[in-house]
Amino acid sequence: MSSQAARLVVLVSGSGTNLQALLDAAADESYGARIVAVGADRDGIEGLARAERAGLPTFVERLADHPGRDAWDRAVAARIAEHRPDLVVCAGFMKILGAPTLSAFPVLNTHPALLPAFPGAHGVRDALSYGVRITGCTVMLADAGVDTGPIVAQKAVPVLEGDDEATLHERIKTVERSLLVDTVGRMAREGWTVTGRIFRLGRPGR
């Protein structure tokens, strides 16, 4: 793997299917990024097991192990900083990161709806309840809000007759996985800029 590859710290809370997709992509040197560590907010999850099987360093910071949210935020930021990432990727990470992390690193996150529509924890359910015919997924740069950061990439997913929350979410997750892998790779290879809310791939002056 090239030493010039972008360094990724990936955060997980569950099975780690997005992490696995990133691991598979990063096995190709031309991808332009490599995962240098995987962090989690809980023990005993498959996401950590995937990282360990890949020979990657891991860390766990449980909120319950800290006196409060501020202390947890600082601890997470410190653990991430140990690995000097160019980009932090939330791959099914179920905690909102605080200012210590967001101010120190660019953080990429995903959401199972076409933001700014249907933010929050129930994006798939809310889209179905509203009766939309097309929903999708969003990759965004995280900020202090809930699903309010600059939009990096989006892809549409049609709502099919007879869809329930589970079937629709499963199709969205498949598209989301591919979109995340493609987006991380392009950001690593091409660079990016953000002006206000506008995200653009490519380094300044190119």
Side-chain angles (χ1 to χ4, degrees):
M1 186 70 68
S2 168
S3 61
Q4 299 304 308
R7 298 170 62 86
L8 309 179
V9 169
V10 180
L11 303 179
V12 296
S13 290
S15 64
T17 53
N18 281 351
L19 167 63
Q20 188 63 56
L22 288 165
L23 284 167
D24 294 344
D28 184 342
E29 285 193 16
S30 66
Y31 184 61
R34 62 190 179 104
I35 299 171
V36 296
V38 174
D41 63 329
R42 62 195 71 184
D43 299 292
I45 58 173
E46 177 61 16
L48 287 174
R50 291 179 192 270
E52 288 160 2
R53 289 195 294 269
L56 292 170
T58 63
F59 61 88
V60 176
E61 289 294 340
R62 301 191 321 148
L63 183 57
D65 293 337
H66 296 275
R69 187 63 183 242
D70 289 347
W72 179 82
D73 285 334
R74 291 192 298 272
V76 170
R79 297 299 292 274
I80 292 171
E82 291 173 5
H83 303 282
R84 299 177 288 106
D86 299 301
L87 184 65
V88 176
V89 181
C90 293
F93 190 61
M94 300 308 292
K95 292 283 191 298
I96 296 173
L97 293 168
T101 296
L102 296 176
S103 62
F105 314 102
V107 177
L108 209 60
N109 200 2
T110 62
H111 182 70
L114 294 174
L115 294 172
F118 312 115
H122 305 294
V124 179
R125 182 190 311 171
D126 294 344
L128 271 175
S129 297
Y130 199 84
V132 299
R133 300 302 182 185
I134 295 174
T135 184
C137 52
T138 301
V139 178
M140 82 211 96
L141 286 167
D143 65 6
V146 177
D147 301 324
T148 56
I151 290 169
V152 174
Q154 292 183 301
K155 202 153 194 178
V157 175
V159 179
L160 303 181
E161 192 70 32
D163 261 339
D164 59 20
E165 184 178 359
T167 60
L168 178 56
H169 200 180
E170 200 56 43
R171 287 207 321 284
I172 290 172
K173 285 193 289 188
T174 299
V175 174
E176 176 184 87
R177 198 170 302 130
S178 173
L179 184 63
L180 178 65
V181 169
D182 179 67
T183 300
V184 169
R186 292 195 65 188
M187 289 173 70
R189 294 188 303 270
E190 301 173 32
W192 75 91
T193 59
V194 180
T195 305
R197 289 199 54 83
I198 306 303
F199 173 94
R200 291 185 177 88
L201 283 166
R203 294 175 177 84
R206 289 193 175 184

